[in-house]
Amino acid sequence: MDNLKPGEFYIEGNVSSQFISGLIFALPLLNGDSKIYITTEFESKSYLDLTILVLKSFGIDIKNKGYREFTIKGNQEYKNCNYRVEGDYSQGAYFLCANALGSDISLSGLKEDSLQGDKRIIGILDSMGTSSKFVNDKLYNISRELTGTTIDASQCPDIIPVLSLVATLSKGETKIVNAHRLKLKECDRLEATRLELLKLGGDIEATEDSLIIKGVDKLRGGIKVWSHNDHRIAMMLSIASCFCEEEIVICDSECISKSYPNFYKDFIELGGKIDEWNLGK
């Protein structure tokens, strides 16, 4: 903490909420008050909501003034407590999308009243034709005839690749808008999603900040695809393999270890088939 001083911080809100979350974790411990000012439109607000909620559980108070200004008192102290970590909608989205395309998987551990931005996966899939419900703390979503829709990616960029897969196999046209931040992830996810779904037989165009997807009846397979060393693209392609006419080979699939190292273990236990050439060390 020797190099970080309390004061005023001006940060763009449309690049990554992680910079703001990092400061919010550290600033309460400094010997003085601080303020964070957001200088642009604020995207991924839900991640800040989660950060502030978790910190409150550990005794830290953060004042949020309309996502434009955050006030952080100094000389605060973290207090220990028992805390149950909720399930991750970002990872659950892959299996919810598999359900939308015809699988039958129930998911445990997801909070029905979660603040996670990627909880939007439920509403988006339902708007395309699924029927979702919680029963005894398990989430089910049932596949029906899927139709295209318009998806605003600004608050849920991480689930856009797998939603693009669902859109590819839905009737009509889907527009994914406000997606410019996907170009700033582990790879340019807009271009990676377009390229890899095109290889499989999709009809998809990318612009500077959007995807336009026209539904097709089937995906071909029988080719090599590439994860672009991006865990979200690798997991999307893995789900896509279940709905291809022929097998696919995913190059650099081991990158899934960044966020979900047991993904392929769960994939196999749920009935997925993998010929493991190389899934990393």
Side-chain angles (χ1 to χ4, degrees):
M1 290 296 180
D2 291 342
N3 295 324
L4 183 62
K5 306 297 181 185
E8 296 183 346
F9 299 83
Y10 295 83
I11 302 180
E12 294 178 353
N14 59 358
V15 177
S16 174
S17 63
Q18 294 178 37
F19 300 123
I20 305 162
S21 287
L23 279 173
I24 284 177
F25 269 95
L27 293 176
L29 302 178
L30 302 182
N31 186 23
D33 300 344
S34 297
K35 285 191 175 184
I36 299 173
Y37 295 96
I38 307 302
T39 61
T40 64
E41 282 298 309
F42 199 167
E43 299 182 3
S44 293
K45 293 177 182 176
S46 64
Y47 292 104
L48 263 295
D49 292 336
L50 284 169
T51 299
I52 292 170
L53 181 64
V54 170
L55 293 187
K56 183 177 180 180
S57 299
F58 289 87
I60 301 297
D61 182 49
I62 308 292
K63 301 297 185 187
N64 175 5
K65 188 175 180 180
Y67 299 97
R68 307 303 302 174
E69 177 184 317
F70 295 87
T71 301
I72 304 102
K73 291 287 185 182
N75 297 302
Q76 297 189 60
E77 181 180 350
Y78 284 90
K79 298 178 175 61
N80 64 342
C81 70
N82 293 322
Y83 188 87
R84 182 179 180 84
V85 178
E86 63 181 88
D88 187 347
Y89 274 94
S90 302
Q91 316 299 34
Y94 297 97
F95 300 114
L96 292 173
C97 286
N99 283 349
L101 295 172
S103 297
D104 184 15
I105 304 166
S106 63
L107 284 79
S108 301
L110 297 171
K111 286 181 63 177
E112 189 170 0
D113 61 348
S114 176
L115 296 179
Q116 294 180 51
D118 287 344
K119 185 190 171 191
R120 286 175 170 80
I121 188 72
I122 297 175
I124 293 170
L125 290 177
D126 282 358
S127 74
M128 298 178 78
T130 66
S131 177
S132 302
K133 61 181 178 179
F134 281 87
V135 179
N136 297 326
D137 295 326
K138 290 185 177 180
L139 175 58
Y140 300 82
N141 68 321
I142 300 170
S143 176
R144 303 186 190 278
E145 183 175 78
L146 299 173
T147 56
T149 188
T150 298
I151 301 170
D152 186 339
S154 62
Q155 301 298 329
C156 55
D158 288 342
I159 58 176
I160 295 305
V162 73
L163 279 171
S164 298
L165 167 64
V166 175
T168 295
L169 290 170
S170 299
K171 292 185 179 299
E173 183 177 272
T174 295
K175 293 182 179 179
I176 298 173
V177 299
N178 298 324
H180 58 279
R181 275 199 307 131
L182 273 79
K183 302 173 77 68
L184 306 175
K185 297 291 185 175
E186 285 80 347
C187 69
D188 180 343
R189 284 186 185 159
L190 286 183
E191 182 62 8
T193 297
R194 184 189 73 84
L195 282 173
E196 303 312 317
L197 288 177
L198 275 177
K199 290 178 186 177
L200 296 176
D203 184 345
I204 179 170
E205 299 178 21
T207 70
E208 185 64 26
D209 67 347
S210 65
L211 292 173
I212 301 171
I213 303 168
K214 295 178 181 177
V216 299
D217 292 332
K218 58 188 177 182
L219 296 177
R220 292 190 298 265
I223 59 170
K224 285 186 178 182
V225 290
W226 181 34
S227 71
H228 297 252
N229 289 309
D230 187 319
H231 52 135
R232 305 269 175 221
I233 301 298
M235 288 187 281
M236 177 272 284
L237 291 170
S238 299
I239 298 299
S241 73
C242 300
F243 305 98
C244 289
E245 293 186 310
E246 299 180 65
E247 67 180 23
I248 64 175
V249 176
I250 304 174
C251 300
D252 296 321
S253 60
E254 65 274 8
C255 62
I256 57 97
S257 61
K258 176 174 182 178
S259 65
Y260 194 167
N262 289 329
F263 174 81
Y264 287 119
K265 176 177 178 291
D266 292 342
F267 183 85
I268 292 169
E269 288 182 355
L270 290 168
K273 295 180 181 179
I274 296 176
D275 182 10
E276 301 182 35
W277 291 2
N278 178 14
L279 291 179
K281 298 179 180 179

